[in-house]
Amino acid sequence: MNLNGTEDLRVQKTITAIYQAFEELILTTNYEKITVAELARRAQINKKTFYVMAGSLLR
């Protein structure tokens, strides 16, 4: 998802945290072994929040 600045600041921070957590994980963990739980933990968000954002992240 490309942030265009019109999103709520909380949404911007959450999406940035997810991307940063994924970048950290991909450097240390095999892609197939990355879990939503670990990604959410590293991004300091709830798994439910990840699933709510997942549709936006894939665009």
Side-chain angles (χ1 to χ4, degrees):
M1 171 180 198
N2 293 328
L3 297 175
N4 60 19
T6 62
E7 299 86 3
D8 185 288
L9 182 58
R10 293 169 295 175
V11 172
Q12 291 176 6
K13 287 181 176 184
T14 299
I15 291 170
T16 300
I18 291 169
Y19 277 122
Q20 288 177 343
F22 181 74
E23 288 174 5
E24 291 173 14
L25 278 170
I26 202 72
L27 293 174
T28 60
T29 308
N30 191 352
Y31 178 77
E32 291 82 21
K33 296 191 185 248
I34 294 175
T35 64
V36 171
E38 179 63 17
L39 185 61
R41 188 185 67 74
R42 289 219 183 185
Q44 297 180 337
I45 61 171
N46 189 301
K47 285 191 324 183
K48 184 175 180 179
T49 302
F50 174 82
Y51 286 115
V52 168
M53 295 290 179
S56 298
L57 293 170
L58 299 174
R59 291 185 201 149

